[in-house]
Amino acid sequence: MHPILPSEITSEAVYLKRRDFVKAAANASLIGSIGSIGGLATLGAATVVPSAEASESTSPLAFQKTAYGAGLTPNTFEEITSYNNFYEFGLDKTDPQANAGTLKPKPWSVVVGGECEQKGRVPLEDLLKGIPLEERIYRLRCVEAWSMVIPWVGVPLKSILSRFKPTSKAKFVKFTTLMDPKQMPGQTRAVLDWPYVEGLRIDEAMHPLTLLAVGLYGKTLPNQNGAPLRLVVPWKYGFKSIKSIVKIDFVETAPTSSWMQAAPNEYGFFANVNPTVNHPRWSQASERRIGSGLFAARVPTLSFNGYADEVASLYQGLDLRKYF
Ligand SMILES: Nc1nc2c(c(=O)[nH]1)N[C@H]1C(S)=C(S)[C@@H](COP(=O)(O)O)O[C@H]1N2
Ligand SMILES: [Mo]
């Protein structure tokens, strides 16, 4: 979905694949030697070994189950953690899992500022203190027309934001991802104008569906999914759900998100999932559900990604074909 020339994409993809291949070869020989030491003949190349980087850094969380997503079948942990968009670690879907080991999600703090009474840097533990973690199973619909179902663990964003006492001038909330090319090597390439920025209208940010996620499948977020803290806005295209957040600002005017800035004719501020408004380069009427198999039929995309009953009223009087 990025705006650089196809020729550049190809050369970068080839470069990254070559690097992945070297890594994969190294991993394969390591697994092979462990297998032979342990005498486990069944530990062949086809055995699914969860990403070392991901599984080593995740730890169990205490959380409450909720009714959100009852009836949805989640994707597997393996699918959710091996098919990602996180351009700070490369452009291919497998790059974040392969490369995000350099991200250090602990210790972590978030700087809160702008139009609010309580400002400052807050350690992540303090930010979450006293707010019970909930599990919510949500659909994720990427603007590229693939989708997943993910069992997030997190807190309603509203419960965090209200602690900072936003003023009446706080009409929007701006979110910023970590900027550190040492931890996020993709930031050395001018794919986007780093750091990654996203925004919500204040009523969207305060909506009960909007989640600040710290985990998935009952464990802390794997790095490739936006550790340690990421936004989840289930009725909007996935790019709104910004990862590895270090800054939250209450602002008076609509922030320009990274994707609006990169390609304003393709990506808008609202980015509500809408099967009747196509992307300039592809249809948004249907989607490919990850894990459903190579030859599975595409499934129809739902208005507001299936959350219309909860959120459609936020946009009354807005021409959703114009404000995409
Ligand atoms: N900082 C940052 N956040 C990001 C992205 C990114 O490249 N960088 N990609 C977005 C896109 S396009 C999608 S679809 C989702 C993917 O989330 P997942 O990899 O956890 O499924 O993250 C979003 N958040
Ligand atoms: Mo996406």
Side-chain angles (χ1 to χ4, degrees), residues 1 80 83-88 140 142-143 146 148 150 152 177 192 194 196 224-226 230 238-244 259:
M1 67 184 266
I80 294 167
Y83 189 95
N84 300 98
N85 272 335
F86 202 168
Y87 278 14
E88 286 86 338
L140 174 89
C142 177
V143 75
W146 54 265
M148 288 199 203
I150 304 182
W152 300 108
T177 294
L192 287 171
W194 311 112
Y196 197 100
Q224 61 266 39
N225 294 91
R230 60 94 52 90
F239 68 87
K240 297 295 291 184
S241 293
I242 180 172
K243 297 176 169 182
S244 305
W259 282 110

PDB file of all heavy atoms in Angstrom, residues 1 80 83-88 140 142-143 146 148 150 152 177 192 194 196 224-226 230 238-244 259, ligand 1:
ATOM      1  N   MET A   1       0.811  -1.201   0.000  1.00  0.00           N
ATOM      2  CA  MET A   1       0.000   0.000   0.000  1.00  0.00           C
ATOM      3  C   MET A   1       0.845   1.252   0.000  1.00  0.00           C
ATOM      4  O   MET A   1       0.376   2.336   0.196  1.00  0.00           O
ATOM      5  CB  MET A   1      -0.948  -0.005   1.206  1.00  0.00           C
ATOM      6  CG  MET A   1      -0.266   0.099   2.544  1.00  0.00           C
ATOM      7  SD  MET A   1      -1.445  -0.045   3.919  1.00  0.00           S
ATOM      8  CE  MET A   1      -1.804   1.678   4.257  1.00  0.00           C
ATOM      9  N   ILE A  80      -1.499 -14.876  13.323  1.00  0.00           N
ATOM     10  CA  ILE A  80      -1.555 -13.480  13.768  1.00  0.00           C
ATOM     11  C   ILE A  80      -0.149 -12.897  13.947  1.00  0.00           C
ATOM     12  O   ILE A  80       0.047 -11.694  13.806  1.00  0.00           O
ATOM     13  CB  ILE A  80      -2.365 -13.389  15.091  1.00  0.00           C
ATOM     14  CG1 ILE A  80      -3.834 -13.767  14.839  1.00  0.00           C
ATOM     15  CG2 ILE A  80      -2.278 -12.000  15.716  1.00  0.00           C
ATOM     16  CD1 ILE A  80      -4.640 -14.022  16.110  1.00  0.00           C
ATOM     17  N   TYR A  83       2.049 -12.922   9.869  1.00  0.00           N
ATOM     18  CA  TYR A  83       1.554 -12.196   8.693  1.00  0.00           C
ATOM     19  C   TYR A  83       1.193 -10.798   9.182  1.00  0.00           C
ATOM     20  O   TYR A  83       0.126 -10.578   9.736  1.00  0.00           O
ATOM     21  CB  TYR A  83       0.330 -12.920   8.122  1.00  0.00           C
ATOM     22  CG  TYR A  83      -0.143 -12.387   6.784  1.00  0.00           C
ATOM     23  CD1 TYR A  83       0.279 -12.987   5.601  1.00  0.00           C
ATOM     24  CD2 TYR A  83      -1.010 -11.305   6.710  1.00  0.00           C
ATOM     25  CE1 TYR A  83      -0.152 -12.516   4.371  1.00  0.00           C
ATOM     26  CE2 TYR A  83      -1.448 -10.825   5.480  1.00  0.00           C
ATOM     27  CZ  TYR A  83      -1.023 -11.440   4.316  1.00  0.00           C
ATOM     28  OH  TYR A  83      -1.455 -10.971   3.095  1.00  0.00           O
ATOM     29  N   ASN A  84       2.143  -9.881   9.074  1.00  0.00           N
ATOM     30  CA  ASN A  84       1.980  -8.565   9.716  1.00  0.00           C
ATOM     31  C   ASN A  84       2.311  -7.412   8.784  1.00  0.00           C
ATOM     32  O   ASN A  84       3.104  -7.564   7.853  1.00  0.00           O
ATOM     33  CB  ASN A  84       2.906  -8.463  10.942  1.00  0.00           C
ATOM     34  CG  ASN A  84       2.619  -9.521  11.981  1.00  0.00           C
ATOM     35  OD1 ASN A  84       3.286 -10.549  12.037  1.00  0.00           O
ATOM     36  ND2 ASN A  84       1.619  -9.279  12.796  1.00  0.00           N
ATOM     37  N   ASN A  85       1.745  -6.264   9.079  1.00  0.00           N
ATOM     38  CA  ASN A  85       2.191  -4.996   8.505  1.00  0.00           C
ATOM     39  C   ASN A  85       2.819  -4.179   9.619  1.00  0.00           C
ATOM     40  O   ASN A  85       2.154  -3.833  10.600  1.00  0.00           O
ATOM     41  CB  ASN A  85       1.014  -4.215   7.906  1.00  0.00           C
ATOM     42  CG  ASN A  85       0.743  -4.583   6.466  1.00  0.00           C
ATOM     43  OD1 ASN A  85       1.637  -5.039   5.754  1.00  0.00           O
ATOM     44  ND2 ASN A  85      -0.486  -4.391   6.017  1.00  0.00           N
ATOM     45  N   PHE A  86       4.100  -3.916   9.492  1.00  0.00           N
ATOM     46  CA  PHE A  86       4.826  -3.092  10.463  1.00  0.00           C
ATOM     47  C   PHE A  86       6.056  -2.623   9.697  1.00  0.00           C
ATOM     48  O   PHE A  86       7.122  -3.236   9.758  1.00  0.00           O
ATOM     49  CB  PHE A  86       5.203  -3.932  11.689  1.00  0.00           C
ATOM     50  CG  PHE A  86       5.471  -3.137  12.961  1.00  0.00           C
ATOM     51  CD1 PHE A  86       5.567  -3.796  14.188  1.00  0.00           C
ATOM     52  CD2 PHE A  86       5.628  -1.758  12.949  1.00  0.00           C
ATOM     53  CE1 PHE A  86       5.803  -3.093  15.373  1.00  0.00           C
ATOM     54  CE2 PHE A  86       5.863  -1.051  14.123  1.00  0.00           C
ATOM     55  CZ  PHE A  86       5.956  -1.728  15.334  1.00  0.00           C
ATOM     56  N   TYR A  87       5.864  -1.527   8.936  1.00  0.00           N
ATOM     57  CA  TYR A  87       6.867  -1.107   7.958  1.00  0.00           C
ATOM     58  C   TYR A  87       8.177  -0.675   8.602  1.00  0.00           C
ATOM     59  O   TYR A  87       9.205  -0.607   7.928  1.00  0.00           O
ATOM     60  CB  TYR A  87       6.294  -0.002   7.069  1.00  0.00           C
ATOM     61  CG  TYR A  87       5.434  -0.528   5.939  1.00  0.00           C
ATOM     62  CD1 TYR A  87       4.973  -1.842   5.928  1.00  0.00           C
ATOM     63  CD2 TYR A  87       5.095   0.282   4.866  1.00  0.00           C
ATOM     64  CE1 TYR A  87       4.206  -2.325   4.890  1.00  0.00           C
ATOM     65  CE2 TYR A  87       4.326  -0.195   3.815  1.00  0.00           C
ATOM     66  CZ  TYR A  87       3.883  -1.501   3.832  1.00  0.00           C
ATOM     67  OH  TYR A  87       3.126  -1.972   2.790  1.00  0.00           O
ATOM     68  N   GLU A  88       8.161  -0.421   9.905  1.00  0.00           N
ATOM     69  CA  GLU A  88       9.400  -0.107  10.611  1.00  0.00           C
ATOM     70  C   GLU A  88      10.360  -1.304  10.592  1.00  0.00           C
ATOM     71  O   GLU A  88      11.541  -1.160  10.921  1.00  0.00           O
ATOM     72  CB  GLU A  88       9.094   0.276  12.063  1.00  0.00           C
ATOM     73  CG  GLU A  88       8.484   1.672  12.232  1.00  0.00           C
ATOM     74  CD  GLU A  88       6.968   1.716  12.079  1.00  0.00           C
ATOM     75  OE1 GLU A  88       6.400   0.798  11.441  1.00  0.00           O
ATOM     76  OE2 GLU A  88       6.343   2.663  12.584  1.00  0.00           O
ATOM     77  N   LEU A 140     -10.114  -7.743  12.230  1.00  0.00           N
ATOM     78  CA  LEU A 140      -9.154  -6.749  11.719  1.00  0.00           C
ATOM     79  C   LEU A 140      -9.231  -6.783  10.198  1.00  0.00           C
ATOM     80  O   LEU A 140      -9.028  -7.837   9.603  1.00  0.00           O
ATOM     81  CB  LEU A 140      -7.732  -7.079  12.172  1.00  0.00           C
ATOM     82  CG  LEU A 140      -6.655  -6.172  11.572  1.00  0.00           C
ATOM     83  CD1 LEU A 140      -6.442  -4.935  12.443  1.00  0.00           C
ATOM     84  CD2 LEU A 140      -5.332  -6.892  11.393  1.00  0.00           C
ATOM     85  N   CYS A 142      -7.627  -5.137   6.914  1.00  0.00           N
ATOM     86  CA  CYS A 142      -6.590  -4.280   6.333  1.00  0.00           C
ATOM     87  C   CYS A 142      -7.127  -3.624   5.069  1.00  0.00           C
ATOM     88  O   CYS A 142      -7.911  -4.222   4.332  1.00  0.00           O
ATOM     89  CB  CYS A 142      -5.336  -5.091   6.018  1.00  0.00           C
ATOM     90  SG  CYS A 142      -4.026  -4.120   5.222  1.00  0.00           S
ATOM     91  N   VAL A 143      -6.667  -2.414   4.791  1.00  0.00           N
ATOM     92  CA  VAL A 143      -7.077  -1.685   3.588  1.00  0.00           C
ATOM     93  C   VAL A 143      -6.649  -2.443   2.327  1.00  0.00           C
ATOM     94  O   VAL A 143      -7.195  -2.238   1.256  1.00  0.00           O
ATOM     95  CB  VAL A 143      -6.511  -0.240   3.628  1.00  0.00           C
ATOM     96  CG1 VAL A 143      -5.018  -0.223   3.316  1.00  0.00           C
ATOM     97  CG2 VAL A 143      -7.279   0.699   2.711  1.00  0.00           C
ATOM     98  N   TRP A 146      -7.310  -7.940   3.030  1.00  0.00           N
ATOM     99  CA  TRP A 146      -7.240  -9.208   3.757  1.00  0.00           C
ATOM    100  C   TRP A 146      -7.730  -8.953   5.180  1.00  0.00           C
ATOM    101  O   TRP A 146      -7.815  -7.799   5.622  1.00  0.00           O
ATOM    102  CB  TRP A 146      -5.830  -9.806   3.762  1.00  0.00           C
ATOM    103  CG  TRP A 146      -4.742  -8.892   4.256  1.00  0.00           C
ATOM    104  CD1 TRP A 146      -3.932  -8.098   3.498  1.00  0.00           C
ATOM    105  CD2 TRP A 146      -4.354  -8.667   5.636  1.00  0.00           C
ATOM    106  NE1 TRP A 146      -3.071  -7.395   4.307  1.00  0.00           N
ATOM    107  CE2 TRP A 146      -3.312  -7.715   5.625  1.00  0.00           C
ATOM    108  CE3 TRP A 146      -4.788  -9.180   6.853  1.00  0.00           C
ATOM    109  CZ2 TRP A 146      -2.690  -7.271   6.797  1.00  0.00           C
ATOM    110  CZ3 TRP A 146      -4.172  -8.729   8.014  1.00  0.00           C
ATOM    111  CH2 TRP A 146      -3.138  -7.782   7.979  1.00  0.00           C
ATOM    112  N   MET A 148      -8.411 -10.729   9.429  1.00  0.00           N
ATOM    113  CA  MET A 148      -8.159 -11.738  10.461  1.00  0.00           C
ATOM    114  C   MET A 148      -9.150 -11.511  11.584  1.00  0.00           C
ATOM    115  O   MET A 148      -9.832 -10.491  11.623  1.00  0.00           O
ATOM    116  CB  MET A 148      -6.763 -11.575  11.069  1.00  0.00           C
ATOM    117  CG  MET A 148      -5.631 -11.962  10.192  1.00  0.00           C
ATOM    118  SD  MET A 148      -4.167 -12.251  11.222  1.00  0.00           S
ATOM    119  CE  MET A 148      -2.924 -11.985   9.985  1.00  0.00           C
ATOM    120  N   ILE A 150      -8.809 -11.465  15.802  1.00  0.00           N
ATOM    121  CA  ILE A 150      -7.720 -11.461  16.787  1.00  0.00           C
ATOM    122  C   ILE A 150      -8.266 -11.309  18.209  1.00  0.00           C
ATOM    123  O   ILE A 150      -9.045 -10.393  18.482  1.00  0.00           O
ATOM    124  CB  ILE A 150      -6.717 -10.316  16.478  1.00  0.00           C
ATOM    125  CG1 ILE A 150      -6.194 -10.458  15.043  1.00  0.00           C
ATOM    126  CG2 ILE A 150      -5.569 -10.310  17.493  1.00  0.00           C
ATOM    127  CD1 ILE A 150      -5.161  -9.426  14.626  1.00  0.00           C
ATOM    128  N   TRP A 152      -7.648  -9.849  21.296  1.00  0.00           N
ATOM    129  CA  TRP A 152      -6.787  -8.845  21.933  1.00  0.00           C
ATOM    130  C   TRP A 152      -6.963  -8.893  23.447  1.00  0.00           C
ATOM    131  O   TRP A 152      -8.018  -9.266  23.947  1.00  0.00           O
ATOM    132  CB  TRP A 152      -7.153  -7.436  21.470  1.00  0.00           C
ATOM    133  CG  TRP A 152      -7.020  -7.198  20.001  1.00  0.00           C
ATOM    134  CD1 TRP A 152      -8.036  -7.044  19.101  1.00  0.00           C
ATOM    135  CD2 TRP A 152      -5.800  -7.080  19.250  1.00  0.00           C
ATOM    136  NE1 TRP A 152      -7.517  -6.831  17.836  1.00  0.00           N
ATOM    137  CE2 TRP A 152      -6.163  -6.862  17.908  1.00  0.00           C
ATOM    138  CE3 TRP A 152      -4.442  -7.148  19.589  1.00  0.00           C
ATOM    139  CZ2 TRP A 152      -5.214  -6.689  16.888  1.00  0.00           C
ATOM    140  CZ3 TRP A 152      -3.502  -6.991  18.584  1.00  0.00           C
ATOM    141  CH2 TRP A 152      -3.888  -6.763  17.254  1.00  0.00           C
ATOM    142  N   THR A 177       4.227   6.591  16.964  1.00  0.00           N
ATOM    143  CA  THR A 177       5.038   5.388  17.198  1.00  0.00           C
ATOM    144  C   THR A 177       6.467   5.789  17.574  1.00  0.00           C
ATOM    145  O   THR A 177       6.929   6.879  17.209  1.00  0.00           O
ATOM    146  CB  THR A 177       5.057   4.517  15.920  1.00  0.00           C
ATOM    147  OG1 THR A 177       3.749   4.020  15.679  1.00  0.00           O
ATOM    148  CG2 THR A 177       6.024   3.332  16.014  1.00  0.00           C
ATOM    149  N   LEU A 192       8.030   5.821   4.534  1.00  0.00           N
ATOM    150  CA  LEU A 192       7.068   6.774   5.091  1.00  0.00           C
ATOM    151  C   LEU A 192       7.875   7.883   5.753  1.00  0.00           C
ATOM    152  O   LEU A 192       9.069   7.732   5.983  1.00  0.00           O
ATOM    153  CB  LEU A 192       6.175   6.090   6.140  1.00  0.00           C
ATOM    154  CG  LEU A 192       5.105   5.121   5.658  1.00  0.00           C
ATOM    155  CD1 LEU A 192       4.476   4.397   6.843  1.00  0.00           C
ATOM    156  CD2 LEU A 192       4.029   5.829   4.845  1.00  0.00           C
ATOM    157  N   TRP A 194       8.803   9.012   8.786  1.00  0.00           N
ATOM    158  CA  TRP A 194       8.792   8.520  10.168  1.00  0.00           C
ATOM    159  C   TRP A 194       8.856   9.661  11.172  1.00  0.00           C
ATOM    160  O   TRP A 194       9.452  10.675  10.870  1.00  0.00           O
ATOM    161  CB  TRP A 194       9.979   7.562  10.394  1.00  0.00           C
ATOM    162  CG  TRP A 194      10.140   6.519   9.370  1.00  0.00           C
ATOM    163  CD1 TRP A 194      11.149   6.407   8.455  1.00  0.00           C
ATOM    164  CD2 TRP A 194       9.271   5.396   9.142  1.00  0.00           C
ATOM    165  NE1 TRP A 194      10.956   5.297   7.671  1.00  0.00           N
ATOM    166  CE2 TRP A 194       9.830   4.666   8.079  1.00  0.00           C
ATOM    167  CE3 TRP A 194       8.080   4.942   9.738  1.00  0.00           C
ATOM    168  CZ2 TRP A 194       9.232   3.501   7.567  1.00  0.00           C
ATOM    169  CZ3 TRP A 194       7.501   3.792   9.243  1.00  0.00           C
ATOM    170  CH2 TRP A 194       8.074   3.095   8.185  1.00  0.00           C
ATOM    171  N   TYR A 196       5.733   6.976  12.445  1.00  0.00           N
ATOM    172  CA  TYR A 196       4.353   6.677  12.065  1.00  0.00           C
ATOM    173  C   TYR A 196       3.409   7.451  12.991  1.00  0.00           C
ATOM    174  O   TYR A 196       3.574   7.440  14.211  1.00  0.00           O
ATOM    175  CB  TYR A 196       4.127   5.185  12.232  1.00  0.00           C
ATOM    176  CG  TYR A 196       2.921   4.572  11.535  1.00  0.00           C
ATOM    177  CD1 TYR A 196       3.082   3.884  10.327  1.00  0.00           C
ATOM    178  CD2 TYR A 196       1.647   4.603  12.106  1.00  0.00           C
ATOM    179  CE1 TYR A 196       1.999   3.273   9.704  1.00  0.00           C
ATOM    180  CE2 TYR A 196       0.565   3.992  11.485  1.00  0.00           C
ATOM    181  CZ  TYR A 196       0.754   3.330  10.286  1.00  0.00           C
ATOM    182  OH  TYR A 196      -0.311   2.717   9.684  1.00  0.00           O
ATOM    183  N   GLN A 224       6.213  -7.954  16.850  1.00  0.00           N
ATOM    184  CA  GLN A 224       5.711  -7.706  15.490  1.00  0.00           C
ATOM    185  C   GLN A 224       4.262  -7.215  15.473  1.00  0.00           C
ATOM    186  O   GLN A 224       3.799  -6.679  14.476  1.00  0.00           O
ATOM    187  CB  GLN A 224       5.875  -8.961  14.608  1.00  0.00           C
ATOM    188  CG  GLN A 224       5.127 -10.195  15.091  1.00  0.00           C
ATOM    189  CD  GLN A 224       6.012 -11.094  15.947  1.00  0.00           C
ATOM    190  OE1 GLN A 224       6.816 -10.609  16.740  1.00  0.00           O
ATOM    191  NE2 GLN A 224       5.864 -12.401  15.787  1.00  0.00           N
ATOM    192  N   ASN A 225       3.549  -7.399  16.580  1.00  0.00           N
ATOM    193  CA  ASN A 225       2.168  -6.916  16.660  1.00  0.00           C
ATOM    194  C   ASN A 225       2.057  -5.559  17.355  1.00  0.00           C
ATOM    195  O   ASN A 225       0.955  -5.086  17.629  1.00  0.00           O
ATOM    196  CB  ASN A 225       1.273  -7.944  17.347  1.00  0.00           C
ATOM    197  CG  ASN A 225       1.127  -9.213  16.527  1.00  0.00           C
ATOM    198  OD1 ASN A 225       1.914 -10.154  16.692  1.00  0.00           O
ATOM    199  ND2 ASN A 225       0.185  -9.247  15.616  1.00  0.00           N
ATOM    200  N   GLY A 226       3.196  -4.932  17.658  1.00  0.00           N
ATOM    201  CA  GLY A 226       3.152  -3.561  18.168  1.00  0.00           C
ATOM    202  C   GLY A 226       3.427  -3.428  19.644  1.00  0.00           C
ATOM    203  O   GLY A 226       2.897  -2.526  20.301  1.00  0.00           O
ATOM    204  N   ARG A 230      -0.486  -0.819  21.633  1.00  0.00           N
ATOM    205  CA  ARG A 230      -0.940  -0.396  20.303  1.00  0.00           C
ATOM    206  C   ARG A 230      -2.436  -0.138  20.338  1.00  0.00           C
ATOM    207  O   ARG A 230      -3.161  -0.631  21.198  1.00  0.00           O
ATOM    208  CB  ARG A 230      -0.546  -1.413  19.228  1.00  0.00           C
ATOM    209  CG  ARG A 230      -1.072  -2.839  19.351  1.00  0.00           C
ATOM    210  CD  ARG A 230      -2.347  -3.170  18.617  1.00  0.00           C
ATOM    211  NE  ARG A 230      -2.446  -2.855  17.227  1.00  0.00           N
ATOM    212  CZ  ARG A 230      -2.087  -3.681  16.227  1.00  0.00           C
ATOM    213  NH1 ARG A 230      -1.553  -4.843  16.484  1.00  0.00           N
ATOM    214  NH2 ARG A 230      -2.292  -3.314  14.990  1.00  0.00           N
ATOM    215  N   GLY A 238      -7.036  -1.294   9.026  1.00  0.00           N
ATOM    216  CA  GLY A 238      -5.990  -1.659   9.980  1.00  0.00           C
ATOM    217  C   GLY A 238      -4.914  -0.608  10.180  1.00  0.00           C
ATOM    218  O   GLY A 238      -4.323  -0.531  11.261  1.00  0.00           O
ATOM    219  N   PHE A 239      -4.655   0.221   9.144  1.00  0.00           N
ATOM    220  CA  PHE A 239      -3.540   1.175   9.302  1.00  0.00           C
ATOM    221  C   PHE A 239      -3.813   2.215  10.375  1.00  0.00           C
ATOM    222  O   PHE A 239      -2.887   2.871  10.851  1.00  0.00           O
ATOM    223  CB  PHE A 239      -3.161   1.819   7.951  1.00  0.00           C
ATOM    224  CG  PHE A 239      -4.170   2.746   7.336  1.00  0.00           C
ATOM    225  CD1 PHE A 239      -4.197   4.089   7.676  1.00  0.00           C
ATOM    226  CD2 PHE A 239      -5.076   2.285   6.381  1.00  0.00           C
ATOM    227  CE1 PHE A 239      -5.106   4.959   7.086  1.00  0.00           C
ATOM    228  CE2 PHE A 239      -5.994   3.143   5.779  1.00  0.00           C
ATOM    229  CZ  PHE A 239      -6.015   4.485   6.141  1.00  0.00           C
ATOM    230  N   LYS A 240      -5.099   2.381  10.780  1.00  0.00           N
ATOM    231  CA  LYS A 240      -5.399   3.315  11.874  1.00  0.00           C
ATOM    232  C   LYS A 240      -4.890   2.763  13.215  1.00  0.00           C
ATOM    233  O   LYS A 240      -4.673   3.522  14.160  1.00  0.00           O
ATOM    234  CB  LYS A 240      -6.904   3.554  11.980  1.00  0.00           C
ATOM    235  CG  LYS A 240      -7.552   4.218  10.778  1.00  0.00           C
ATOM    236  CD  LYS A 240      -7.093   5.639  10.529  1.00  0.00           C
ATOM    237  CE  LYS A 240      -7.553   6.637  11.572  1.00  0.00           C
ATOM    238  NZ  LYS A 240      -7.142   8.022  11.210  1.00  0.00           N
ATOM    239  N   SER A 241      -4.746   1.437  13.314  1.00  0.00           N
ATOM    240  CA  SER A 241      -4.397   0.792  14.585  1.00  0.00           C
ATOM    241  C   SER A 241      -2.889   0.819  14.801  1.00  0.00           C
ATOM    242  O   SER A 241      -2.180  -0.174  14.658  1.00  0.00           O
ATOM    243  CB  SER A 241      -4.953  -0.640  14.613  1.00  0.00           C
ATOM    244  OG  SER A 241      -6.369  -0.603  14.651  1.00  0.00           O
ATOM    245  N   ILE A 242      -2.396   1.989  15.161  1.00  0.00           N
ATOM    246  CA  ILE A 242      -0.961   2.287  15.252  1.00  0.00           C
ATOM    247  C   ILE A 242      -0.279   1.477  16.356  1.00  0.00           C
ATOM    248  O   ILE A 242      -0.827   1.286  17.439  1.00  0.00           O
ATOM    249  CB  ILE A 242      -0.765   3.818  15.437  1.00  0.00           C
ATOM    250  CG1 ILE A 242       0.705   4.204  15.532  1.00  0.00           C
ATOM    251  CG2 ILE A 242      -1.536   4.330  16.663  1.00  0.00           C
ATOM    252  CD1 ILE A 242       0.920   5.731  15.528  1.00  0.00           C
ATOM    253  N   LYS A 243       0.938   1.020  16.063  1.00  0.00           N
ATOM    254  CA  LYS A 243       1.689   0.132  16.961  1.00  0.00           C
ATOM    255  C   LYS A 243       2.750   0.873  17.772  1.00  0.00           C
ATOM    256  O   LYS A 243       3.188   1.957  17.394  1.00  0.00           O
ATOM    257  CB  LYS A 243       2.381  -0.949  16.106  1.00  0.00           C
ATOM    258  CG  LYS A 243       1.399  -1.855  15.365  1.00  0.00           C
ATOM    259  CD  LYS A 243       2.128  -2.835  14.475  1.00  0.00           C
ATOM    260  CE  LYS A 243       1.167  -3.899  13.966  1.00  0.00           C
ATOM    261  NZ  LYS A 243       1.871  -4.903  13.135  1.00  0.00           N
ATOM    262  N   SER A 244       3.183   0.226  18.840  1.00  0.00           N
ATOM    263  CA  SER A 244       4.337   0.682  19.647  1.00  0.00           C
ATOM    264  C   SER A 244       4.281   2.185  19.907  1.00  0.00           C
ATOM    265  O   SER A 244       5.179   2.946  19.535  1.00  0.00           O
ATOM    266  CB  SER A 244       5.656   0.291  18.964  1.00  0.00           C
ATOM    267  OG  SER A 244       5.695  -1.099  18.712  1.00  0.00           O
ATOM    268  N   TRP A 259      -0.174   7.880   6.452  1.00  0.00           N
ATOM    269  CA  TRP A 259      -0.657   7.401   5.150  1.00  0.00           C
ATOM    270  C   TRP A 259      -1.371   8.489   4.369  1.00  0.00           C
ATOM    271  O   TRP A 259      -1.306   8.514   3.141  1.00  0.00           O
ATOM    272  CB  TRP A 259      -1.529   6.153   5.320  1.00  0.00           C
ATOM    273  CG  TRP A 259      -0.667   4.963   5.546  1.00  0.00           C
ATOM    274  CD1 TRP A 259      -0.507   4.243   6.686  1.00  0.00           C
ATOM    275  CD2 TRP A 259       0.216   4.368   4.580  1.00  0.00           C
ATOM    276  NE1 TRP A 259       0.417   3.245   6.504  1.00  0.00           N
ATOM    277  CE2 TRP A 259       0.873   3.301   5.232  1.00  0.00           C
ATOM    278  CE3 TRP A 259       0.524   4.644   3.247  1.00  0.00           C
ATOM    279  CZ2 TRP A 259       1.811   2.494   4.583  1.00  0.00           C
ATOM    280  CZ3 TRP A 259       1.464   3.845   2.600  1.00  0.00           C
ATOM    281  CH2 TRP A 259       2.097   2.785   3.268  1.00  0.00           C
TER     282      TRP A 259
HETATM  283  N1  LIG B   1       3.703   1.898  13.590  1.00  0.00           N
HETATM  284  C1  LIG B   1       2.995   1.172  12.710  1.00  0.00           C
HETATM  285  N2  LIG B   1       1.750   0.799  13.020  1.00  0.00           N
HETATM  286  C2  LIG B   1       1.014   0.051  12.146  1.00  0.00           C
HETATM  287  C3  LIG B   1       1.552  -0.307  10.877  1.00  0.00           C
HETATM  288  C4  LIG B   1       2.892   0.102  10.582  1.00  0.00           C
HETATM  289  O1  LIG B   1       3.461  -0.170   9.505  1.00  0.00           O
HETATM  290  N3  LIG B   1       3.581   0.823  11.524  1.00  0.00           N
HETATM  291  N4  LIG B   1       0.784  -1.022   9.975  1.00  0.00           N
HETATM  292  C5  LIG B   1      -0.670  -0.898  10.126  1.00  0.00           C
HETATM  293  C6  LIG B   1      -1.417  -1.805   9.269  1.00  0.00           C
HETATM  294  S1  LIG B   1      -1.474  -1.408   7.609  1.00  0.00           S
HETATM  295  C7  LIG B   1      -2.124  -2.874   9.754  1.00  0.00           C
HETATM  296  S2  LIG B   1      -3.117  -3.792   8.742  1.00  0.00           S
HETATM  297  C8  LIG B   1      -2.007  -3.287  11.167  1.00  0.00           C
HETATM  298  C9  LIG B   1      -1.553  -4.730  11.234  1.00  0.00           C
HETATM  299  O2  LIG B   1      -1.540  -5.183  12.563  1.00  0.00           O
HETATM  300  P1  LIG B   1      -1.010  -6.671  12.888  1.00  0.00           P
HETATM  301  O3  LIG B   1       0.278  -6.849  12.159  1.00  0.00           O
HETATM  302  O4  LIG B   1      -0.884  -6.754  14.350  1.00  0.00           O
HETATM  303  O5  LIG B   1      -2.080  -7.620  12.351  1.00  0.00           O
HETATM  304  O6  LIG B   1      -1.076  -2.483  11.887  1.00  0.00           O
HETATM  305  C10 LIG B   1      -1.104  -1.090  11.580  1.00  0.00           C
HETATM  306  N5  LIG B   1      -0.238  -0.352  12.496  1.00  0.00           N
END
